[in-house]
């Protein structure tokens, strides 16, 4: 029992001790988070101390560097200077050689730049000469082209004038030829008309001679002709006519004589002189027919 009591008391003491340590650790962490938050490059390098300041020699609180910081700063300066001396001693030949090369290269570069500048100037001069030559060539070609175009226009105007003159001449020649052809055809037509008249006259004479010969062979002829009398045509438009050739020494007489044919109408006494009687008969026929039709129509209605 004593052992167990001892162990329990020991555990309690350890627990309290751990709690106190944890609380202190938490407090320090909180202080760091609040006061020493972020990077602190001057930590351990500055301090506050009382020093006599001014003519009176009164002591005041002054912010100054710590001795380790001063020593560290002095050592850093010494190391910098030594490193600089060693580096310059090491690289001095290289720097001198670089300066020598720079001087030589500067001369070469200046000579190259001068050569390039001269080349550029020469190229610009050449380009300027080329532009001037191009302008001269363009001007000369334009002058020659204008002369060529002017000559073409003159030739075209001359050709047009020549063509118009040729057309006028051709028109006059064609007109003269056409008139000559017209006169020739007119003469041919007149000659043809004269020959036609002569031919028709010969035909007429031959027919007349043939007709006289036919009268000797056939002295009697019958003809169904159109009535030429204006007063009788409405009643008897057509009529039969019988002609007999006259005997030697006899003269044809009467209304229907046909001396031009060498015949005499033997029915001239019967002819169309009774046209009034025929007209009355036709009127009576028409009236009787009209009355008969009316009577027949009335009988049909009964």
């Amino acid at each position: 029992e004593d052992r167990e009591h001892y162990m329990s008391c020991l555990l309690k003491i350890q627990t309290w001790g751990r709690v106190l340590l944890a609380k202190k650790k938490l407090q320090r962490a909180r202080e760091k988070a609040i006061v020493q938050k972020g990077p602190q490059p001057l930590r351990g390098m500055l301090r506050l101390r009382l020093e006599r300041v001014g003519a009176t020699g009164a002591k005041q609180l002054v912010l100054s560097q710590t001795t380790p910081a001063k020593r560290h700063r002095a050592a850093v300066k010494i190391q910098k200077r030594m490193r600089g001396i060693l580096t310059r001693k090491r690289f001095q030949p290289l720097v001198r050689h670089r300066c020598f090369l720079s001087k030589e290269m500067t001369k070469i570069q200046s000579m190259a730049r001068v050569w390039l500048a001269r080349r550029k100037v020469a190229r610009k001069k050449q380009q300027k000469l080329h532009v001037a030559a191009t302008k001269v060539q363009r001007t000369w070609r334009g002058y020659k082209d204008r002369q060529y175009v002017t000559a073409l226009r003159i030739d075209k105007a001359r050709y047009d004038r020549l063509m118009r003159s040729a057309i006028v001449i051709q028109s006059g020649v064609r007109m003269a030829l056409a008139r000559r052809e017209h006169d020739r055809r007119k003469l041919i037509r007149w000659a043809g008309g004269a020959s036609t008249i002569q031919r028709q006259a010969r035909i007429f004479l031959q027919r007349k001679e043939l007709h006289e010969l036919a009268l000797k062979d056939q002295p009697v002829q019958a003809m169904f002709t159109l009535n030429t009398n204006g007063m009788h045509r409405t009643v008897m438009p057509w009529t039969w006519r019988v002609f007999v050739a006259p005997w030697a020494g006899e003269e044809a007489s009467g209304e229907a004589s046909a001396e031009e044919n060498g015949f005499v109408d033997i029915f001239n006494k019967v002819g169309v002189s009774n046209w009034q009687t025929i007209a009355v008969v036709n009127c009576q026929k028409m009236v009787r027919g009209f009355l008969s039709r009316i009577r027949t129509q009335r009988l049909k209605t009964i």
Side-chain angles (χ1 to χ4, degrees):
E1 293 179 359
D2 293 336
R3 185 176 178 79
E4 291 179 358
H5 180 68
Y6 175 74
M7 290 299 293
S8 63
C9 291
L10 184 61
L11 290 172
K12 287 181 180 180
I13 292 169
Q14 289 178 355
T15 303
W16 289 344
R18 291 190 183 97
V19 169
L20 291 174
L21 293 174
K23 286 182 178 180
K24 287 183 179 181
K25 187 175 181 180
L26 179 62
Q27 187 67 25
R28 286 196 299 270
R30 288 178 179 176
E31 289 178 358
K32 287 182 179 180
I34 295 174
V35 179
Q36 300 179 359
K37 188 175 182 180
Q40 298 181 3
L42 299 178
R43 184 178 180 182
M45 299 176 64
L46 300 175
R47 66 179 177 177
L48 294 173
R49 56 181 298 183
L50 290 174
E51 294 183 357
R52 295 182 184 275
V53 179
T56 59
K59 292 184 177 180
Q60 293 182 3
L61 188 63
V62 178
L63 181 64
S64 63
Q65 291 183 353
T66 60
T67 301
K70 290 180 180 180
R71 291 177 179 176
H72 179 71
R73 186 176 179 184
V76 169
K77 286 183 178 181
I78 293 169
Q79 290 175 0
K80 284 182 180 180
R81 290 188 178 183
M82 288 303 297
R83 289 192 184 100
I85 292 170
L86 294 174
T87 304
R88 284 191 293 273
K89 186 177 180 180
R90 182 181 178 182
F91 289 98
Q92 189 68 29
L94 298 176
V95 172
R96 290 178 180 177
H97 184 66
R98 180 66 179 175
C99 291
F100 175 75
L101 293 178
S102 296
K103 290 180 181 179
E104 296 297 329
M105 290 300 296
T106 301
K107 292 181 181 179
I108 295 172
Q109 288 176 359
S110 62
M111 293 175 66
R113 290 191 184 97
V114 170
W115 181 76
L116 291 174
R118 289 177 180 175
R119 186 178 178 182
K120 186 176 180 179
V121 171
R123 189 184 302 112
K124 286 186 177 180
K125 287 182 179 180
Q126 189 68 24
Q127 187 177 2
K128 189 175 181 181
L129 291 174
H130 181 71
V131 172
T134 303
K135 288 183 179 179
V136 172
Q137 290 176 359
R138 184 171 62 247
T139 304
W140 176 253
R141 287 173 185 152
Y143 172 72
K144 295 297 289 183
D145 290 340
R146 285 191 292 273
Q147 281 189 344
Y148 178 71
V149 172
T150 304
L152 284 179
R153 289 179 179 174
I154 293 172
D155 293 340
K156 186 176 182 299
R158 188 182 297 112
Y159 177 75
D160 293 339
R161 184 177 179 182
L162 180 63
M163 290 299 294
R164 287 195 296 270
S165 301
I167 290 171
V168 171
I169 294 170
Q170 290 176 357
S171 300
V173 172
R174 291 192 183 101
M175 188 183 298
L177 292 175
R179 287 178 179 175
R180 185 180 296 176
E181 182 68 18
H182 177 70
D183 295 339
R184 186 179 66 82
R185 291 183 181 182
K186 191 174 182 181
L187 291 174
I188 293 172
R189 188 169 58 251
W190 288 350
S195 62
T196 302
I197 294 171
Q198 293 174 1
R199 184 171 59 254
Q200 293 297 328
R202 294 190 190 97
I203 292 171
F204 174 74
L205 294 175
Q206 294 292 331
R207 286 180 178 176
K208 187 175 182 181
E209 185 178 357
L210 181 62
H211 183 67
E212 291 177 355
L213 294 174
L215 288 178
K216 293 179 180 180
D217 293 338
Q218 297 178 0
V220 179
Q221 292 185 4
M223 188 181 302
F224 188 68
T225 60
L226 181 66
N227 193 356
T228 59
N229 193 338
M231 297 178 63
H232 305 163
R233 185 182 298 176
T234 56
V235 180
M236 297 179 66
W238 296 88
T239 181
W240 279 98
R241 308 178 78 177
V242 179
F243 297 95
V244 178
W247 297 102
E250 294 183 358
E251 294 181 357
S253 61
E255 182 182 356
S257 63
E259 296 178 354
E260 67 278 2
N261 292 329
F263 288 92
V264 177
D265 189 2
I266 58 176
F267 296 121
N268 58 351
K269 294 182 180 180
V270 178
V272 293
S273 59
N274 56 348
W275 61 273
Q276 295 179 352
T277 305
I278 296 172
V280 172
V281 172
N282 289 333
C283 292
Q284 290 177 358
K285 287 180 179 180
M286 292 175 65
V287 171
R288 291 192 186 99
F290 177 72
L291 294 175
S292 299
R293 284 191 294 272
I294 291 175
R295 192 179 301 110
T296 305
Q297 189 70 26
R298 287 178 180 176
L299 291 175
K300 287 181 179 180
T301 54
I302 294 172

